[in-house]
Amino acid sequence: MAAAICVLSEDQFLCSICLEVFTDPVTTPCGHNFCKNCITEHWDTDDQCQCPMCKKVFNARPELQVNTLFSAIVAQFRQSAQQKASSSSSQQQVSTPGEVPCDVCTGTKLKALKSCLVCLVSYCETHLEPHLTASRLKRHQLIDPVENLEDRMCTKHDKPLELFCKTDQTCVCMLCHVSDHKTHDVIPLKDGCEVKKAELETEIQQMIQKRRLKIQDLKQSASFSKENADREIADSVQILTALRESVERGLNELTETIKEKQETTQKQVEDLIKELEQEISELMKRSTEVEQLSLSEDHLHLLQSLSSMEAVPSCKDWTVVSICPSYEGIVVRVVSQLEETLSKEIKKLLEAELKRVQRYAVDVTLDPDTAHPCLILSDDGKQVNPGDVQSNLPDNPERFSLNPCVLAKQSFSSGRFYFEVQVKGKIEWDLGVARESINRKEDVPLSPEDGYWAIWLRKRVKYRALNDPLVSLVLKVKLKTVGVFVDYEEGVVSFYDVDAAALIYSFTGCSFTEKLFPYFNPGLNDGGKNSAPLIICPVNHTEETDQN
């Protein structure tokens, strides 16, 4: 009997209906073996008695009897298989947490070796054997063990997810393909994996490239930052050194001047003392003469002699003689010279600062879709005049409906940018930048809280920075050209008097999270008093360039 078992292959002991080892095997008239219950249930649910293997139809339902000889062979095979499984299981690993257990094992669950995508069952080494030997099971798709195999079934049709819909980017079953996804681009899962893998690899490579470019950008920014820092240090050292030298020079001049004046005063005092001592000597001499004459008893002669001696020659009126040297004027003069030197150095510094920000000049043009209907824009988009009559324009969401404002076409959400605007000849205007989400239909305060960073002119001479609260700007001369500089990352908006190369005002500590647009308001026409345009000017910066 054992020899017979060895001759037969293991798949010959499996029922073709349940794919398990025969239980109570019976043989049909056509010679095929089945489990008694399996063939009985099969014929009970079928309209005719037909062999599942050869498809032979029986006119009358055969009376089936257990094949005792074959049943004994199957029993011995089962016993042999159990012994083999017992021996094998002792060598196999028991499933531990985190590992996929065998779904067939009863009692102690062994570690699954493979999962079958057809059976949706995970098998240990012993229970996997039929899939490796039975010809019908060899066609099943085995993969490395995975949990939750039921997730691989279509929830709608209860069929394996074997296809990938590129249109909807989802896995589908065969019935989905012919129903909901009939007109979609559907491919096998393997091809879908290749497509997804290629897409993912492309995306990863693009992300890697972007990050490499960002690294280069950061290194370049660090290099520019160092260059800027070195330049700032050099400029600061130059200015402060010049100021220190000026202070030292002024101190030396002050000291020398005071010393010279003190020496002159000392000489004057010595000369006066010498002159006084000489007069004292003359007076003492006269005193001696008077004393000698007073010894005479000839009173007439004495009186005549004393009368001739009343006038003392070469004697000054010393009550009007004084020495009171003053040094205050010297100190004031030296300090004034220092102030003049400091002003010159500050002017140089401001000119250098203006040249630096001018390197970030951008081409700005006005956006007619945002302009208030009363504004008149030039064809080149560089000038805006206030008008007296409103044009019939569509009230699109971008347009200002209440205030005579207009934005630029260009927006900025990173880096630095700079532009210049001529304001000469106007008695009122607003100028600056605004965030994209500002309210364009109502009269709102112009402040950073409401999305505006701007300055304005009112009544010809009143300049204000539109911060909260408003900041009065004291300017020596009337503005003609205003420069606007924005550093998005640093949160800085600065305004410059281009003609004087002077900083007017800076908003600092700003937090920008939206696109920023250059903002212009030429004011009302006021009967022609304010008819001059705001003009976006070309920036006359140096040839030297810088990068963001």
Side-chain angles (χ1 to χ4, degrees):
M1 184 74 70
I5 294 174
C6 295
V7 172
L8 297 174
S9 62
E10 294 185 9
D11 62 336
Q12 290 178 295
F13 292 96
L14 302 179
C15 173
S16 60
I17 297 177
C18 67
L19 301 179
E20 298 289 345
V21 177
F22 289 109
T23 301
D24 297 330
V26 295
T27 304
T28 61
C30 57
H32 294 109
N33 297 310
F34 303 95
C35 295
K36 186 176 181 179
N37 287 338
C38 290
I39 191 63
T40 300
E41 291 177 359
H42 179 72
W43 284 344
D44 288 342
T45 57
D46 203 351
D47 294 336
Q48 58 184 351
C49 293
Q50 184 183 41
C51 176
M53 293 291 291
C54 65
K55 308 301 181 184
K56 183 177 180 179
V57 179
F58 305 105
N59 295 329
R61 184 166 179 167
E63 184 178 351
L64 300 174
Q65 299 292 330
V66 175
N67 188 328
T68 55
L69 177 59
F70 188 60
S71 179
I73 296 174
V74 170
Q76 188 169 352
F77 170 78
R78 191 189 301 275
Q79 183 180 4
S80 176
Q82 290 176 348
Q83 291 175 351
K84 182 179 179 182
S86 176
S87 174
S88 175
S89 62
S90 62
Q91 299 177 0
Q92 294 183 56
Q93 296 181 0
V94 176
S95 174
T96 59
E99 294 180 337
V100 179
C102 175
D103 293 326
V104 182
C105 288
T106 58
T108 301
K109 295 284 188 179
L110 297 181
K111 177 182 177 182
L113 189 63
K114 292 288 182 181
S115 294
C116 178
L117 296 181
V118 178
C119 303
L120 295 179
V121 176
S122 296
Y123 299 102
C124 65
E125 183 178 356
T126 300
H127 295 114
L128 180 65
E129 187 67 22
H131 278 76
L132 303 177
T133 57
S135 57
R136 293 179 298 277
L137 299 179
K138 285 181 180 180
R139 293 191 293 269
H140 290 192
Q141 184 178 356
L142 299 175
I143 62 172
D144 290 334
V146 293
E147 292 183 316
N148 302 323
L149 285 168
E150 61 274 10
D151 293 342
R152 297 174 177 269
M153 298 292 289
C154 175
T155 56
K156 184 175 181 180
H157 301 109
D158 198 27
K159 297 291 183 182
L161 298 172
E162 303 177 88
L163 303 171
F164 178 71
C165 177
K166 294 175 65 178
T167 306
D168 292 339
Q169 294 291 299
T170 185
C171 296
V172 298
C173 70
M174 293 297 296
L175 292 179
C176 290
H177 179 29
V178 298
S179 57
D180 300 338
H181 300 262
K182 185 176 182 180
T183 60
H184 294 181
D185 185 6
V186 177
I187 58 176
L189 282 180
K190 181 178 180 182
D191 296 341
C193 289
E194 293 298 326
V195 171
K196 274 295 184 183
K197 179 182 176 183
E199 291 176 351
L200 183 59
E201 288 179 349
T202 300
E203 184 179 357
I204 290 173
Q205 291 303 319
Q206 289 176 348
M207 293 176 68
I208 291 173
Q209 184 63 20
K210 286 182 180 179
R211 279 149 182 78
R212 286 175 175 169
L213 291 174
K214 189 61 178 180
I215 290 174
Q216 293 179 1
D217 182 57
L218 290 173
K219 289 181 178 179
Q220 196 172 29
S221 297
S223 177
F224 289 142
S225 176
K226 186 178 184 304
E227 292 176 4
N228 290 336
D230 292 341
R231 183 171 56 246
E232 289 292 338
I233 291 174
D235 291 345
S236 300
V237 169
Q238 181 180 358
I239 292 171
L240 294 177
T241 299
L243 182 60
R244 184 190 64 190
E245 292 175 351
S246 180
V247 171
E248 291 176 349
R249 186 167 54 252
L251 179 60
N252 292 334
E253 291 176 358
L254 176 65
T255 303
E256 290 298 324
T257 301
I258 292 175
K259 285 182 177 180
E260 289 176 1
K261 195 161 188 179
Q262 171 61 23
E263 290 175 356
T264 300
T265 302
Q266 183 66 30
K267 188 174 183 307
Q268 289 177 345
V269 170
E270 290 175 354
D271 291 342
L272 291 174
I273 291 175
K274 184 177 179 180
E275 189 175 353
L276 283 168
E277 288 177 345
Q278 186 175 355
E279 288 190 2
I280 291 172
S281 177
E282 290 291 331
L283 290 171
M284 291 180 67
K285 183 178 178 181
R286 292 295 175 92
S287 177
T288 301
E289 291 177 357
V290 171
E291 185 67 27
Q292 290 178 351
L293 288 174
S294 63
L295 297 175
S296 174
E297 294 180 358
D298 186 348
H299 297 291
L300 177 62
H301 178 264
L302 176 61
L303 184 59
Q304 291 176 340
S305 298
L306 292 174
S307 298
S308 62
M309 294 176 62
E310 285 180 354
V312 180
S314 304
C315 287
K316 292 183 179 180
D317 182 5
W318 291 98
T319 59
V320 298
V321 177
S322 66
I323 295 178
C324 185
S326 174
Y327 301 100
E328 287 79 3
I330 302 174
V331 176
V332 171
R333 185 175 68 255
V334 171
V335 172
S336 297
Q337 291 174 349
L338 287 176
E339 185 178 8
E340 182 180 354
T341 301
L342 181 59
S343 297
K344 290 180 179 178
E345 294 301 328
I346 290 176
K347 184 173 178 59
K348 290 180 183 178
L349 183 63
L350 291 173
E351 289 175 348
E353 174 66 18
L354 181 58
K355 288 179 181 179
R356 277 197 289 271
V357 300
Q358 284 177 332
R359 295 171 185 151
Y360 300 98
V362 294
D363 185 19
V364 173
T365 54
L366 302 172
D367 185 359
D369 291 337
T370 66
H372 186 275
C374 76
L375 298 181
I376 304 171
L377 274 59
S378 62
D379 293 337
D380 62 359
K382 296 295 184 180
Q383 299 185 29
V384 55
N385 293 72
D388 291 322
V389 180
Q390 291 196 18
S391 302
N392 186 17
L393 298 174
D395 188 21
N396 50 288
E398 299 83 9
R399 191 178 306 283
F400 287 93
S401 300
L402 189 61
N403 294 319
C405 310
V406 60
L407 299 180
K409 291 181 179 179
Q410 295 74 22
S411 64
F412 306 89
S413 56
S414 65
R416 306 179 180 98
F417 64 95
Y418 173 86
F419 60 95
E420 292 180 355
V421 181
Q422 179 181 305
V423 298
K424 183 174 64 175
K426 298 193 67 60
I427 62 174
E428 68 174 46
W429 48 261
D430 304 349
L431 188 61
V433 294
R435 67 184 179 214
E436 186 175 25
S437 64
I438 54 173
N439 189 329
R440 311 183 190 199
K441 304 300 180 182
E442 300 177 6
D443 187 15
V444 298
L446 299 187
S447 67
E449 182 178 355
D450 293 288
Y452 294 89
W453 293 264
I455 61 173
W456 74 16
L457 168 67
R458 293 291 185 270
K459 299 181 180 180
R460 298 181 184 272
V461 294
K462 292 185 178 181
Y463 294 97
R464 300 285 189 273
L466 304 181
N467 212 331
D468 188 15
L470 295 178
V471 179
S472 296
L473 303 176
V474 180
L475 304 178
K476 294 181 179 179
V477 295
K478 191 173 178 64
L479 292 175
K480 296 179 180 179
T481 305
V482 177
V484 183
F485 171 71
V486 177
D487 188 327
Y488 195 97
E489 280 74 22
E490 290 295 327
V492 174
V493 180
S494 298
F495 297 85
Y496 294 87
D497 180 347
V498 176
D499 300 285
L503 177 65
I504 301 172
Y505 185 78
S506 285
F507 293 89
T508 59
C510 309
S511 179
F512 302 129
T513 57
E514 301 179 23
K515 292 179 180 179
L516 295 180
F517 291 82
Y519 162 80
F520 310 85
N521 182 342
L524 299 175
N525 191 29
D526 195 12
K529 297 178 183 179
N530 191 41
S531 61
L534 289 178
I535 304 175
I536 301 172
C537 308
V539 178
N540 297 320
H541 52 71
T542 60
E543 295 299 323
E544 188 179 359
T545 59
D546 198 352
Q547 299 186 29
N548 193 2

